Amino acid sequence: MKKFLLLLVMMIPGLLQMPGARAQSKSLELYYIAHDHYETAITGILDQVRRNTRYSPERTVIFYLANGNLPVRVRISPDDELEYEAFRETLNSQTSHNVYPEVDRYMLMDMLSEGKFIPTKGFDDYDKVVFNFYITPGFVAMDFCDALIGRLFWDLELAKLPRNKLEINIFHSPHEKIDEDRLFGRKNLIGNFPVLVDSF
């Protein structure tokens, strides 16, 4: 028995270095909401995401609601109850909210690069960076994909991130059609980066 215990103690350092024993990967996940109806469906999605990530220290999750000059944001955490309820109430208080892409772009750049809203500056501390944009046909018609998503891609130098580190997803209501050919038009600052487009 003593020999077995001694052998087990000697094996522990090697076991800890095995791939399955490594620390869990860290992710940064942004959920940007351009709201025009379908607030019940979107709220349900956000509630589920919050339930799954609230107590996961390896996942940094941000909900962001475009709201004219006063966008609403919350970082999901075990202590987010009041902030999340205020976010949820704003989302559900009316059937749509104004989108000012320049306001949102500056706000998001500040949040993601200054180390104030999240504890890190930039993306070096994360193994995965995921941007989820919930948009509307009007968002596309007004060229906001270029003005916001494309500009963020350019300004935050996201092209420098490894392809397997960055993920950009665009979601729309299944009851509304999005012209995917018009997502990124004149400037197309996002280039050939593969963007997933799907319904929520």
Side-chain angles (χ1 to χ4, degrees), residues 41-193:
I42 292 171
T43 300
I45 292 166
L46 298 181
D47 285 348
Q48 182 66 44
V49 170
R50 179 173 175 259
R51 276 193 296 273
N52 292 338
T53 61
R54 195 174 177 203
Y55 297 98
S56 300
E58 70 278 1
R59 295 175 69 181
T60 300
V61 177
I62 301 166
F63 294 163
Y64 183 102
L65 174 65
N67 185 31
N69 285 315
L70 297 169
V72 184
R73 61 195 187 167
V74 59
R75 180 178 164 207
I76 301 306
S77 75
D79 305 314
D80 69 2
E81 198 70 48
L82 293 177
E83 287 179 289
Y84 183 65
E85 282 307 312
F87 180 94
R88 211 172 179 279
E89 185 176 330
T90 303
L91 174 59
N92 288 279
S93 65
Q94 54 199 64
T95 55
S96 66
H97 291 81
N98 290 330
V99 175
Y100 295 169
E102 285 297 293
V103 170
D104 295 336
R105 183 169 65 89
Y106 284 121
M107 176 76 78
L108 289 168
M109 286 177 61
D110 184 65
M111 287 167 51
L112 298 172
S113 60
E114 295 299 319
K116 292 183 277 190
F117 190 71
I118 56 175
T120 55
K121 292 184 179 182
F123 308 111
D124 290 344
D125 290 343
Y126 301 100
D127 302 297
K128 189 79 175 171
V129 177
V130 182
F131 290 91
N132 299 298
F133 294 91
Y134 288 75
I135 67 167
T136 66
F139 194 93
V140 177
M142 298 291 289
D143 293 325
F144 289 168
C145 288
D146 263 342
L148 178 65
I149 303 171
R151 283 294 304 270
L152 280 174
F153 187 85
W154 179 266
D155 292 340
L156 292 172
E157 300 183 323
L158 297 179
K160 292 183 177 179
L161 296 180
R163 280 286 172 103
N164 61 350
K165 180 170 181 171
L166 177 64
E167 183 180 312
I168 298 177
N169 305 308
I170 295 177
F171 298 105
H172 60 88
S173 164
H175 307 294
E176 296 177 327
K177 296 195 88 174
I178 295 288
D179 186 351
E180 294 187 32
D181 293 331
R182 287 198 58 195
L183 285 179
F184 301 101
R186 274 174 318 194
K187 296 179 181 176
N188 192 26
L189 296 174
I190 206 163
N192 294 320
F193 186 87

